[in-house]
Amino acid sequence: MIISVSSGNFLIIIMAVVFTVVVLSMLLKKGERKKKIISIFIILIAFVLVYIFFGRPSEIVINENGIDSSVYGKISFNWDDVNTAEFIENYEETAYNPTLKINGTAFRNFRAGNFRLSNGEIIKIITQSSKDAVLFRTEAGSYLFALDQ
């Protein structure tokens, strides 16, 4: 099974608003037209690169061997390495609620990376808008998935 995970349209909307404000402010400012066009082109390239690295969907591959994820933080483990697996209903109302981003990405309900939970534990998570989560514990670490699919 392959699950596609993305931050959604939120990043694109923010980038479009910022790009529009920057372009309008550059056009209204006095100066050479050629320099303005070159600057706008450079900014456009920068926004395209940001989208390529942070906005495009990533995949979580779940198969008979285990889980392999290209989402921020690269989560990968075999089923043989799993010590415990736990289904958590309404995880945000439990001790497994992510409270602090240590290293990762967070847009609205989408979170990926290392987060501190309300119980003080630091684990790798990937969440979307799902209220329920699955927690896997291995020797290498703990992983929390709260995905829409």
Side-chain angles (χ1 to χ4, degrees):
M1 172 200 286
I2 297 175
I3 300 173
S4 181
V5 180
S6 79
S7 58
N9 295 329
F10 185 69
L11 181 64
I12 295 170
I13 292 169
I14 295 255
M15 288 174 49
V17 169
V18 171
F19 182 73
T20 303
V21 169
V22 169
V23 168
L24 286 175
S25 66
M26 290 180 77
L27 292 176
L28 296 174
K29 191 175 181 181
K30 292 181 181 179
E32 286 185 43
R33 185 175 180 182
K34 183 178 178 181
K35 287 183 181 179
K36 289 181 187 181
I37 291 172
I38 291 171
S39 299
I40 290 171
F41 184 70
I42 291 170
I43 291 170
L44 182 61
I45 290 172
F47 277 106
V48 167
L49 290 174
V50 166
Y51 179 75
I52 288 171
F53 287 111
F54 299 108
R56 64 179 170 27
S58 299
E59 292 182 343
I60 300 172
V61 178
I62 303 171
N63 58 30
E64 63 277 351
N65 297 326
I67 294 179
D68 190 25
S69 166
S70 64
V71 180
Y72 189 96
K74 304 276 186 193
I75 296 173
S76 182
F77 58 87
N78 292 325
W79 295 125
D80 295 337
D81 299 334
V82 175
N83 296 333
T84 61
E86 181 180 350
F87 179 78
I88 305 164
E89 291 185 41
N90 294 320
Y91 76 96
E92 290 183 330
E93 297 174 9
T94 68
Y96 299 104
N97 181 34
T99 57
L100 178 68
K101 177 177 65 171
I102 304 298
N103 182 11
T105 301
F107 297 113
R108 300 171 107 188
N109 293 330
F110 174 78
R111 298 181 204 106
N114 294 315
F115 284 73
R116 177 169 304 190
L117 304 179
S118 56
N119 65 5
E121 183 180 7
I122 297 174
I123 67 172
K124 286 189 176 187
I125 68 170
I126 300 173
T127 67
Q128 289 179 308
S129 58
S130 176
K131 301 257 185 242
D132 301 327
V134 178
L135 175 70
F136 295 102
R137 294 191 187 276
T138 68
E139 292 293 324
S142 298
Y143 310 94
L144 181 84
F145 295 92
L147 305 171
D148 294 341
Q149 298 178 351

